Coordinates of all heavy atoms in Angstrom, one line a residue:
M1 N -32.9 -2.3 -17.4 CA -34.1 -2.1 -16.7 C -34.0 -1.0 -15.7 O -35.0 -0.3 -15.5 CB -34.5 -3.4 -16.0 CG -34.8 -4.6 -17.0 SD -36.1 -4.2 -18.3 CE -37.6 -4.3 -17.3
K2 N -32.8 -0.8 -15.2 CA -32.6 0.3 -14.2 C -32.9 1.6 -14.9 O -33.5 2.5 -14.3 CB -31.2 0.2 -13.6 CG -31.0 -0.9 -12.7 CD -29.6 -0.9 -12.2 CE -29.3 -2.2 -11.4 NZ -27.9 -2.3 -10.9
T3 N -32.4 1.8 -16.1 CA -32.6 3.0 -16.9 C -34.0 3.2 -17.1 O -34.6 4.4 -17.0 CB -31.8 3.0 -18.2 OG1 -30.4 2.8 -17.9 CG2 -31.9 4.3 -19.0
W4 N -34.7 2.2 -17.5 CA -36.2 2.3 -17.8 C -36.9 2.8 -16.6 O -37.7 3.7 -16.6 CB -36.7 0.9 -18.2 CG -38.1 1.0 -18.7 CD1 -39.2 0.8 -17.9 CD2 -38.6 1.2 -20.0 NE1 -40.4 0.9 -18.6 CE2 -40.0 1.2 -19.9 CE3 -38.0 1.4 -21.2 CZ2 -40.8 1.3 -21.1 CZ3 -38.8 1.6 -22.3 CH2 -40.1 1.5 -22.2
K5 N -36.6 2.3 -15.4 CA -37.3 2.7 -14.1 C -36.9 4.1 -13.8 O -37.7 4.9 -13.3 CB -36.8 1.8 -13.0 CG -37.5 0.4 -13.1 CD -37.0 -0.4 -11.9 CE -37.5 -1.8 -12.0 NZ -37.1 -2.7 -10.9
K6 N -35.7 4.6 -14.2 CA -35.3 5.9 -13.9 C -36.0 6.9 -14.8 O -36.5 8.0 -14.4 CB -33.8 6.0 -14.1 CG -33.2 7.4 -13.8 CD -31.7 7.4 -14.0 CE -31.1 8.8 -13.8 NZ -29.7 8.8 -14.1
V7 N -36.1 6.6 -16.1 CA -36.7 7.5 -17.1 C -38.2 7.5 -17.0 O -38.8 8.5 -17.2 CB -36.2 7.0 -18.5 CG1 -36.9 7.9 -19.6 CG2 -34.7 7.2 -18.6
M8 N -38.8 6.3 -16.7 CA -40.3 6.2 -16.6 C -40.7 5.6 -15.3 O -41.1 4.5 -15.3 CB -40.8 5.4 -17.8 CG -40.3 6.0 -19.2 SD -41.1 5.2 -20.6 CE -42.4 6.4 -20.9
P9 N -40.6 6.3 -14.2 CA -40.8 5.7 -12.9 C -42.3 5.3 -12.6 O -42.5 4.5 -11.8 CB -40.4 6.8 -11.9 CG -40.5 8.1 -12.7 CD -40.2 7.7 -14.1
D10 N -43.2 5.9 -13.4 CA -44.6 5.5 -13.2 C -45.0 4.2 -13.9 O -46.1 3.7 -13.6 CB -45.5 6.7 -13.7 CG -45.3 8.0 -12.9 OD1 -44.9 7.8 -11.7 OD2 -45.6 9.0 -13.4
Y11 N -44.2 3.7 -14.7 CA -44.5 2.5 -15.4 C -44.3 1.3 -14.5 O -43.3 1.2 -13.8 CB -43.7 2.3 -16.7 CG -44.3 3.0 -17.9 CD1 -44.3 4.4 -18.0 CD2 -45.0 2.3 -18.9 CE1 -44.9 5.1 -19.1 CE2 -45.6 3.0 -20.0 CZ -45.5 4.3 -20.1 OH -46.1 5.0 -21.1
E12 N -45.2 0.3 -14.6 CA -45.0 -0.9 -13.9 C -44.4 -1.9 -14.8 O -44.8 -2.1 -15.9 CB -46.3 -1.5 -13.4 CG -46.2 -2.8 -12.7 CD -47.6 -3.5 -12.4 OE1 -48.6 -2.9 -12.7 OE2 -47.5 -4.6 -11.9
I13 N -43.3 -2.5 -14.4 CA -42.6 -3.5 -15.2 C -43.0 -4.9 -14.6 O -42.9 -5.2 -13.4 CB -41.1 -3.4 -15.1 CG1 -40.7 -2.0 -15.7 CG2 -40.4 -4.5 -15.8 CD1 -39.3 -1.6 -15.5
K14 N -43.6 -5.7 -15.5 CA -44.1 -7.0 -15.1 C -43.4 -8.1 -16.0 O -43.5 -8.0 -17.2 CB -45.6 -7.1 -15.2 CG -46.2 -8.4 -14.7 CD -47.7 -8.3 -14.7 CE -48.3 -9.6 -14.1 NZ -49.8 -9.5 -14.0
L15 N -42.8 -9.1 -15.3 CA -42.2 -10.2 -16.0 C -43.2 -11.3 -16.1 O -43.7 -11.8 -15.1 CB -40.9 -10.6 -15.2 CG -40.3 -11.9 -15.8 CD1 -39.7 -11.6 -17.2 CD2 -39.2 -12.3 -14.8
W16 N -43.4 -11.8 -17.3 CA -44.3 -12.9 -17.5 C -43.4 -14.2 -17.7 O -42.6 -14.2 -18.6 CB -45.2 -12.7 -18.8 CG -46.2 -11.7 -18.5 CD1 -46.0 -10.3 -18.5 CD2 -47.6 -11.9 -18.1 NE1 -47.2 -9.7 -18.2 CE2 -48.2 -10.6 -18.0 CE3 -48.3 -13.0 -18.0 CZ2 -49.5 -10.5 -17.6 CZ3 -49.7 -12.8 -17.6 CH2 -50.2 -11.6 -17.4
S17 N -43.6 -15.2 -16.9 CA -42.9 -16.4 -17.0 C -43.7 -17.6 -16.5 O -44.9 -17.4 -16.1 CB -41.6 -16.3 -16.1 OG -42.0 -16.3 -14.7
M18 N -43.2 -18.7 -16.5 CA -43.9 -19.9 -16.0 C -44.2 -19.8 -14.5 O -45.1 -20.4 -14.0 CB -43.1 -21.2 -16.3 CG -42.9 -21.5 -17.8 SD -44.5 -21.6 -18.7 CE -45.1 -23.1 -18.0
E19 N -43.4 -19.0 -13.8 CA -43.6 -18.8 -12.4 C -44.7 -17.8 -12.1 O -45.3 -17.8 -11.0 CB -42.3 -18.4 -11.7 CG -41.2 -19.5 -11.7 CD -40.5 -19.7 -13.0 OE1 -40.3 -18.7 -13.7 OE2 -40.1 -20.8 -13.3
T20 N -44.9 -16.9 -13.0 CA -45.9 -15.8 -12.8 C -47.2 -16.0 -13.5 O -48.2 -15.3 -13.3 CB -45.3 -14.5 -13.1 OG1 -45.0 -14.5 -14.5 CG2 -44.1 -14.2 -12.3
F21 N -47.3 -17.0 -14.4 CA -48.5 -17.2 -15.2 C -49.1 -18.6 -14.8 O -48.3 -19.6 -14.9 CB -48.3 -17.1 -16.7 CG -49.5 -17.4 -17.5 CD1 -50.4 -16.4 -17.6 CD2 -49.7 -18.6 -18.2 CE1 -51.6 -16.6 -18.4 CE2 -50.8 -18.8 -18.9 CZ -51.8 -17.8 -19.0
D22 N -50.3 -18.7 -14.5 CA -51.0 -19.9 -14.1 C -51.4 -20.7 -15.4 O -52.5 -20.4 -16.0 CB -52.2 -19.7 -13.2 CG -52.9 -20.9 -12.8 OD1 -52.3 -22.0 -12.9 OD2 -54.0 -20.8 -12.3
V23 N -50.6 -21.6 -15.8 CA -50.8 -22.3 -17.1 C -52.1 -23.1 -17.0 O -52.9 -23.3 -18.0 CB -49.7 -23.2 -17.4 CG1 -50.0 -24.1 -18.7 CG2 -48.4 -22.4 -17.7
S24 N -52.5 -23.6 -15.8 CA -53.7 -24.4 -15.6 C -54.9 -23.6 -15.9 O -56.0 -24.2 -16.1 CB -53.7 -25.0 -14.2 OG -53.9 -24.0 -13.2
S25 N -54.9 -22.3 -15.9 CA -56.0 -21.5 -16.2 C -56.2 -21.2 -17.7 O -57.2 -20.7 -18.1 CB -55.9 -20.1 -15.5 OG -54.9 -19.4 -16.0
A26 N -55.2 -21.6 -18.5 CA -55.1 -21.4 -19.9 C -55.9 -22.5 -20.6 O -56.1 -23.6 -20.0 CB -53.7 -21.3 -20.4
P27 N -56.3 -22.3 -21.9 CA -57.0 -23.4 -22.6 C -56.1 -24.6 -22.7 O -54.9 -24.6 -22.6 CB -57.1 -22.7 -24.0 CG -57.1 -21.3 -23.8 CD -56.2 -21.1 -22.6
V28 N -56.7 -25.7 -23.0 CA -56.1 -27.0 -23.0 C -54.9 -27.0 -24.0 O -53.8 -27.6 -23.7 CB -57.1 -28.2 -23.3 CG1 -56.4 -29.5 -23.5 CG2 -58.1 -28.3 -22.2
Y29 N -55.1 -26.4 -25.2 CA -54.0 -26.5 -26.2 C -52.8 -25.8 -25.7 O -51.7 -26.1 -26.0 CB -54.5 -25.9 -27.5 CG -54.6 -24.4 -27.6 CD1 -53.6 -23.6 -28.0 CD2 -55.8 -23.7 -27.3 CE1 -53.7 -22.2 -28.1 CE2 -55.9 -22.4 -27.4 CZ -54.9 -21.6 -27.8 OH -55.0 -20.3 -27.8
V30 N -52.9 -24.7 -24.8 CA -51.8 -24.1 -24.3 C -51.1 -25.0 -23.2 O -49.8 -25.1 -23.2 CB -52.2 -22.7 -23.6 CG1 -51.0 -22.1 -22.9 CG2 -52.8 -21.8 -24.6
Q31 N -51.9 -25.6 -22.4 CA -51.3 -26.6 -21.5 C -50.5 -27.7 -22.2 O -49.4 -28.1 -21.8 CB -52.4 -27.2 -20.6 CG -53.1 -26.1 -19.7 CD -54.3 -26.7 -19.0 OE1 -54.2 -27.8 -18.5 NE2 -55.3 -25.8 -18.8
E32 N -51.1 -28.2 -23.3 CA -50.5 -29.3 -24.0 C -49.2 -28.8 -24.7 O -48.2 -29.5 -24.7 CB -51.4 -29.8 -25.1 CG -52.6 -30.6 -24.5 CD -53.6 -31.0 -25.5 OE1 -53.5 -30.6 -26.7 OE2 -54.5 -31.8 -25.1
A33 N -49.2 -27.5 -25.2 CA -48.0 -26.9 -25.8 C -46.9 -26.8 -24.7 O -45.7 -27.1 -25.0 CB -48.3 -25.6 -26.3
V34 N -47.2 -26.5 -23.5 CA -46.2 -26.4 -22.4 C -45.7 -27.7 -22.1 O -44.4 -27.9 -22.0 CB -46.8 -25.7 -21.2 CG1 -45.9 -25.8 -20.0 CG2 -47.1 -24.2 -21.4
K35 N -46.5 -28.7 -22.0 CA -46.1 -30.1 -21.7 C -45.2 -30.6 -22.8 O -44.2 -31.3 -22.5 CB -47.3 -31.0 -21.5 CG -48.0 -30.8 -20.2 CD -49.2 -31.7 -20.1 CE -50.1 -31.4 -19.0 NZ -51.4 -32.1 -18.9
A36 N -45.5 -30.3 -24.0 CA -44.7 -30.7 -25.2 C -43.4 -29.8 -25.4 O -42.7 -30.0 -26.4 CB -45.5 -30.8 -26.4
R37 N -43.3 -28.8 -24.5 CA -42.2 -27.9 -24.7 C -42.2 -27.1 -26.0 O -41.2 -26.8 -26.5 CB -40.8 -28.6 -24.4 CG -40.8 -29.2 -23.1 CD -39.5 -30.0 -22.8 NE -38.3 -29.2 -22.9 CZ -37.7 -28.6 -21.9 NH1 -38.2 -28.7 -20.7 NH2 -36.6 -27.9 -22.1
K38 N -43.4 -26.8 -26.5 CA -43.6 -26.0 -27.7 C -43.8 -24.5 -27.2 O -44.9 -24.0 -27.2 CB -44.8 -26.5 -28.5 CG -44.7 -27.9 -28.9 CD -43.7 -28.1 -30.0 CE -43.8 -29.5 -30.5 NZ -42.9 -29.8 -31.6
W39 N -42.7 -24.0 -26.8 CA -42.7 -22.7 -26.1 C -43.3 -21.6 -27.0 O -44.0 -20.7 -26.4 CB -41.3 -22.3 -25.6 CG -40.7 -23.3 -24.8 CD1 -39.5 -23.9 -25.0 CD2 -41.2 -23.9 -23.6 NE1 -39.2 -24.8 -24.0 CE2 -40.2 -24.9 -23.1 CE3 -42.3 -23.8 -22.8 CZ2 -40.4 -25.6 -22.0 CZ3 -42.5 -24.5 -21.7 CH2 -41.6 -25.4 -21.3
A40 N -43.1 -21.6 -28.2 CA -43.6 -20.5 -29.1 C -45.1 -20.5 -29.1 O -45.8 -19.4 -29.1 CB -43.1 -20.7 -30.5
F41 N -45.8 -21.6 -29.1 CA -47.2 -21.7 -29.2 C -47.8 -21.2 -27.8 O -48.8 -20.4 -27.8 CB -47.7 -23.1 -29.4 CG -47.4 -23.6 -30.8 CD1 -46.4 -24.6 -31.0 CD2 -48.0 -23.2 -31.9 CE1 -46.0 -25.0 -32.2 CE2 -47.7 -23.6 -33.2 CZ -46.7 -24.5 -33.3
A42 N -47.2 -21.6 -26.7 CA -47.6 -21.2 -25.4 C -47.4 -19.6 -25.3 O -48.3 -18.9 -24.8 CB -46.9 -21.9 -24.3
A43 N -46.3 -19.2 -25.7 CA -45.9 -17.8 -25.6 C -46.9 -16.9 -26.4 O -47.3 -15.8 -26.0 CB -44.5 -17.5 -26.1
D44 N -47.3 -17.4 -27.6 CA -48.3 -16.6 -28.4 C -49.6 -16.4 -27.6 O -50.1 -15.2 -27.5 CB -48.7 -17.4 -29.6 CG -47.6 -17.3 -30.7 OD1 -46.6 -16.5 -30.5 OD2 -47.6 -18.2 -31.6
Y45 N -50.1 -17.4 -26.9 CA -51.3 -17.2 -26.1 C -51.0 -16.3 -24.9 O -51.8 -15.4 -24.6 CB -51.8 -18.6 -25.6 CG -53.0 -18.4 -24.6 CD1 -54.3 -18.2 -25.1 CD2 -52.8 -18.3 -23.3 CE1 -55.3 -18.0 -24.3 CE2 -53.8 -18.1 -22.4 CZ -55.1 -17.9 -22.9 OH -56.1 -17.7 -22.0
I46 N -50.0 -16.5 -24.2 CA -49.7 -15.8 -23.0 C -49.5 -14.3 -23.3 O -49.9 -13.4 -22.6 CB -48.5 -16.3 -22.2 CG1 -48.8 -17.7 -21.7 CG2 -48.0 -15.4 -21.1 CD1 -47.7 -18.6 -21.2
R47 N -48.8 -14.0 -24.5 CA -48.6 -12.7 -24.9 C -49.9 -12.0 -25.2 O -50.2 -10.8 -24.7 CB -47.8 -12.7 -26.2 CG -47.4 -11.3 -26.7 CD -46.5 -11.4 -28.0 NE -45.3 -12.3 -27.7 CZ -45.1 -13.4 -28.3 NH1 -46.0 -14.0 -29.2 NH2 -44.0 -14.1 -28.1
M48 N -50.8 -12.6 -25.9 CA -52.1 -12.0 -26.2 C -53.0 -11.9 -24.9 O -53.7 -10.9 -24.7 CB -52.9 -12.9 -27.2 CG -52.3 -12.8 -28.6 SD -52.4 -11.2 -29.3 CE -50.7 -10.8 -29.3
Y49 N -52.9 -12.8 -24.0 CA -53.5 -12.8 -22.7 C -53.1 -11.5 -22.0 O -53.9 -10.7 -21.4 CB -53.3 -14.0 -21.9 CG -53.9 -14.0 -20.5 CD1 -55.2 -14.4 -20.3 CD2 -53.1 -13.5 -19.4 CE1 -55.7 -14.3 -19.0 CE2 -53.7 -13.5 -18.2 CZ -55.0 -13.8 -17.9 OH -55.5 -13.8 -16.7
A50 N -51.8 -11.3 -21.9 CA -51.2 -10.1 -21.2 C -51.7 -8.8 -21.8 O -52.1 -7.9 -21.1 CB -49.7 -10.2 -21.2
L51 N -51.6 -8.8 -23.1 CA -52.1 -7.5 -23.8 C -53.5 -7.3 -23.6 O -54.0 -6.1 -23.4 CB -51.8 -7.6 -25.3 CG -50.3 -7.6 -25.7 CD1 -50.2 -8.0 -27.2 CD2 -49.7 -6.3 -25.4
Y52 N -54.4 -8.3 -23.6 CA -55.8 -8.2 -23.4 C -56.2 -7.8 -22.0 O -57.1 -7.0 -21.7 CB -56.5 -9.4 -23.9 CG -58.0 -9.4 -23.8 CD1 -58.7 -8.6 -24.8 CD2 -58.7 -10.0 -22.8 CE1 -60.1 -8.6 -24.8 CE2 -60.1 -9.9 -22.8 CZ -60.8 -9.2 -23.8 OH -62.1 -9.1 -23.7
T53 N -55.6 -8.5 -21.0 CA -56.0 -8.3 -19.6 C -55.3 -7.3 -18.8 O -55.8 -6.8 -17.8 CB -55.9 -9.7 -18.9 OG1 -54.5 -10.1 -18.8 CG2 -56.7 -10.8 -19.5
E54 N -54.1 -6.9 -19.2 CA -53.3 -6.0 -18.4 C -53.2 -4.6 -18.8 O -52.5 -3.8 -18.3 CB -51.9 -6.6 -18.3 CG -51.8 -8.0 -17.6 CD -52.1 -7.9 -16.2 OE1 -51.8 -7.0 -15.5 OE2 -52.8 -8.9 -15.7
E55 N -54.0 -4.2 -19.9 CA -53.9 -2.9 -20.4 C -52.5 -2.5 -20.7 O -52.0 -1.4 -20.3 CB -54.6 -1.9 -19.5 CG -56.1 -2.2 -19.2 CD -56.7 -1.3 -18.2 OE1 -56.0 -0.3 -17.8 OE2 -57.9 -1.5 -17.9
V56 N -51.8 -3.3 -21.4 CA -50.4 -3.1 -21.7 C -50.2 -2.0 -22.7 O -50.9 -2.0 -23.8 CB -49.7 -4.4 -22.2 CG1 -48.3 -4.1 -22.7 CG2 -49.8 -5.5 -21.2
S57 N -49.4 -1.0 -22.4 CA -49.2 0.0 -23.4 C -47.8 -0.1 -24.1 O -47.6 0.4 -25.2 CB -49.3 1.4 -22.7 OG -48.4 1.5 -21.7
I58 N -46.9 -0.8 -23.5 CA -45.6 -1.1 -24.1 C -45.3 -2.6 -23.9 O -45.4 -3.1 -22.8 CB -44.5 -0.2 -23.5 CG1 -44.8 1.3 -23.7 CG2 -43.1 -0.6 -24.0 CD1 -43.8 2.2 -23.0
W59 N -44.8 -3.2 -24.9 CA -44.5 -4.6 -24.8 C -43.0 -4.8 -25.3 O -42.6 -4.4 -26.4 CB -45.4 -5.5 -25.7 CG -45.0 -6.9 -25.7 CD1 -44.1 -7.6 -26.5 CD2 -45.5 -7.9 -24.8 NE1 -44.0 -8.9 -26.1 CE2 -44.9 -9.1 -25.1 CE3 -46.4 -7.9 -23.7 CZ2 -45.1 -10.3 -24.4 CZ3 -46.7 -9.0 -23.0 CH2 -46.1 -10.2 -23.4
I60 N -42.2 -5.3 -24.4 CA -40.8 -5.6 -24.8 C -40.6 -7.1 -24.6 O -40.8 -7.7 -23.6 CB -39.8 -4.8 -23.8 CG1 -40.1 -3.3 -24.0 CG2 -38.4 -5.2 -24.2 CD1 -39.3 -2.5 -23.0
Q61 N -40.1 -7.7 -25.7 CA -39.8 -9.1 -25.6 C -38.3 -9.3 -25.6 O -37.6 -8.8 -26.5 CB -40.5 -9.8 -26.8 CG -40.3 -11.3 -26.7 CD -41.2 -12.0 -27.7 OE1 -42.2 -11.4 -28.2 NE2 -40.9 -13.2 -28.1
M62 N -37.8 -10.0 -24.7 CA -36.4 -10.2 -24.6 C -36.0 -11.7 -24.8 O -36.7 -12.6 -24.5 CB -35.9 -9.8 -23.2 CG -36.1 -8.3 -23.0 SD -35.6 -7.9 -21.3 CE -35.3 -6.2 -21.5

């Protein structure tokens, strides 16, 4: 990440996690997926939400 910041200083790096995303604002099925620890289902929604709302031009999944 340090190299990324050095090479592309104008890019904002945003980490999406359970601490930074308000699950209660998501549809019920996403909330249920989180409660059931079905992380892939929740991640699919959160990923699309980020792409749609944040004008993401680059997506890196780690």
Side-chain angles (χ1 to χ4, degrees):
M1 297 307 285
K2 290 178 186 177
T3 302
W4 187 270
K5 289 180 184 180
K6 181 180 175 183
V7 174
M8 304 187 98
D10 296 335
Y11 274 76
E12 176 187 0
I13 297 172
K14 185 171 184 178
L15 174 66
W16 289 81
S17 69
M18 296 301 293
E19 290 79 33
T20 62
F21 181 75
D22 181 15
V23 175
S24 66
S25 68
V28 175
Y29 75 89
V30 176
Q31 296 174 37
E32 290 173 354
V34 170
K35 287 178 189 173
R37 302 176 59 91
K38 303 287 186 177
W39 307 123
F41 294 106
D44 288 344
Y45 173 84
I46 295 168
R47 186 179 303 113
M48 289 299 111
Y49 176 86
L51 291 170
Y52 184 76
T53 62
E54 299 293 322
E55 299 179 4
V56 175
S57 58
I58 297 174
W59 179 271
I60 299 173
Q61 186 168 337
M62 298 178 158

